[in-house]
Amino acid sequence: MRLKDKVAIISGAGMGMGREAALVFAAEGAMVAVFDLNDAAASETVAAVEARGGRALKVVGDVSKEADVKRAVDAAVKEFGRLDILYANAGVLWKDRDKSVIETTEENWDIVQAVNLKGPFFLTKHGIPQLQKSGGGSIILVGSISALVGFTLAQDSYTCAKGALISLAKSLAVQFGPDKIRCNIIHPGMVDTPLQAPYLNAEKKKAIGDSLPLMRLGTPRDIANLALFLASDESCWITGAEIVIDGGFIAT
Ligand SMILES: NC(=O)c1ccc[n+]([C@@H]2O[C@H](COP(=O)([O-])OP(=O)(O)OC[C@H]3O[C@@H](n4cnc5c(N)ncnc54)[C@H](O)[C@@H]3O)[C@@H](O)[C@H]2O)c1
C-alpha cells in the first residue's frame, strides 16, 4: 500500500498509460480521480478500479479548458477530501497533422499545444493550491523522448510542448519545494498504447522493439510503475528530475 490514503488526479486516465496508472495507484491504496475527455473510456477505468476493490471518481472534461480542469480538481477534493498527487498525463500525438513546422497549420499547432502544454498548466494551476493545503504532494508531468532528440519524421508542435514541460517541471520544483511539493517529468519512449495504435502494425512494433537495447516496446505498466514510485514517498528527495524510460533508446 505505497499510496495508502493518498488522493490522485490523473488526466487522460481513460486509456493507455493513464488507465494503467489509475489501476496501479488504486491497488496501492490511492483514491483516484479519473479525468478524461472520453466518457465511455473513463467509465471503463472507474469500473476496472472498482472491480478490484479500489475507489475512483469519473470526471469528464477537456484538459485544454480551464473550467473543466478546475471542475475536475474541485470534484476530486469534494469526493475524497484532499489531493496529494497530480499526474498530468493526457496528451495527443497527431502524426498525420502535426509534422514539420513547414507543413503544420497554425490551427493544428495550437490544438496540440493546448492539450499537451496548456493542460498541465491548468492542472498545476488549480491542483497546487490543494497540494499546499494537504501539506505537500507529488506532481508528475509527462514529456517524451521526442523532447530530447530530433526525429526525421517531425512532430514539431508535440516536441515543443513536451520540451516546454521540462522547464515547467524545474520551475515548479524550485518554487514549491519549500511546500514539500515535488515535481518531476518522465520521458517515455515508444509505448504500446491506443495513442500509437494508428501508426503501428505488428511488423513495425517488432522492428522498433528489436532496435532497442531492451528488445521490446514499452508497456503502460512500465510507465505506471515509474509514476507510482514518483507519486509515493519513496521518491521523497527527488524533485526537478527528468527520468527517461525508453528501453534504452536514448542510450543508443
Ligand atoms: N505512447 C507513447 O509511445 C508515448 C511516448 C511518449 C510520451 N507519451 C505521452 O504519454 C501520455 C499518455 O499517452 P498514451 O500513449 O497513454 O495515450 P492514449 O492516447 O493511449 O491515452 C490518452 C488518454 O488521454 C485522453 N485525452 C486526450 N485528449 C484529452 C483532453 N484534451 N482532455 C482530457 N483527456 C484527453 C484520451 O481520451 C485517452 O484516454 C501522453 O502525454 C503522451 O504524449 C506517449
Side-chain angles (χ1 to χ4, degrees):
M1 300 299 271
R2 293 155 73 188
L3 301 181
K4 191 169 173 353
D5 297 332
K6 291 191 191 287
V7 178
I9 183 166
I10 306 175
S11 66
M15 286 182 223
M17 303 176 196
R19 170 177 293 180
E20 194 66 22
L23 293 171
V24 167
F25 284 17
E28 293 289 342
M31 292 156 272
V32 184
V34 171
F35 178 29
D36 205 287
L37 193 56
N38 183 325
D39 193 342
S43 294
E44 276 180 38
T45 301
V46 169
V49 168
E50 289 175 347
R52 291 164 174 77
R55 284 185 70 193
L57 169 75
K58 177 179 81 169
V59 188
V60 178
D62 184 339
V63 290
S64 69
K65 299 204 162 75
E66 183 166 11
D68 286 10
V69 178
K70 184 177 181 316
R71 179 169 50 79
V73 168
D74 290 347
V77 173
K78 187 167 180 227
E79 178 76 9
F80 300 125
R82 56 186 287 131
L83 201 50
D84 306 281
I85 299 154
L86 309 178
Y87 188 2
N89 163 78
V92 288
L93 180 70
W94 283 358
K95 287 186 190 176
D96 52 338
R97 286 160 283 175
D98 171 25
K99 299 182 175 187
S100 165
V101 287
I102 59 171
E103 299 163 285
T104 303
T105 64
E106 182 181 1
E107 187 191 3
N108 287 336
W109 175 279
D110 285 346
I111 295 172
V112 171
Q113 293 288 317
V115 177
N116 292 343
L117 181 55
K118 212 155 69 163
F121 158 47
F122 291 147
L123 190 62
T124 52
K125 173 177 176 175
H126 294 286
I128 285 171
Q130 297 300 333
L131 302 191
Q132 287 171 318
K133 281 186 199 159
S134 300
S138 175
I139 303 167
I140 303 157
L141 304 182
V142 182
S144 168
I145 52 166
S146 33
L148 306 179
V149 291
F151 287 96
T152 47
L153 291 172
Q155 305 128 57
D156 281 331
S157 184
Y158 182 85
T159 299
C160 292
K162 295 298 192 185
L165 290 176
I166 299 171
S167 308
L168 182 66
K170 291 175 195 300
S171 179
L172 298 182
V174 170
Q175 288 176 68
F176 299 105
D179 294 336
K180 296 193 175 60
I181 294 170
R182 301 181 293 108
C183 182
N184 296 290
I185 182 163
I186 64 179
H187 293 304
M190 194 171 277
V191 182
D192 194 359
T193 66
L195 178 116
Q196 293 284 5
Y199 314 108
L200 291 176
N201 55 27
E203 203 181 329
K204 273 192 187 162
K205 281 186 199 177
K206 182 168 177 348
I208 296 167
D210 285 351
S211 72
L212 297 173
L214 291 179
M215 299 291 293
R216 65 169 176 84
L217 294 189
T219 65
R221 179 55 72 101
D222 294 326
I223 311 303
N225 284 339
L226 173 58
L228 168 63
F229 170 67
L230 290 173
S232 79
D233 293 340
E234 291 159 23
S235 57
C236 61
W237 211 50
I238 300 178
T239 197
E242 292 178 62
I243 303 182
V244 173
I245 173 163
D246 68 347
F249 172 83
I250 290 287
T252 58

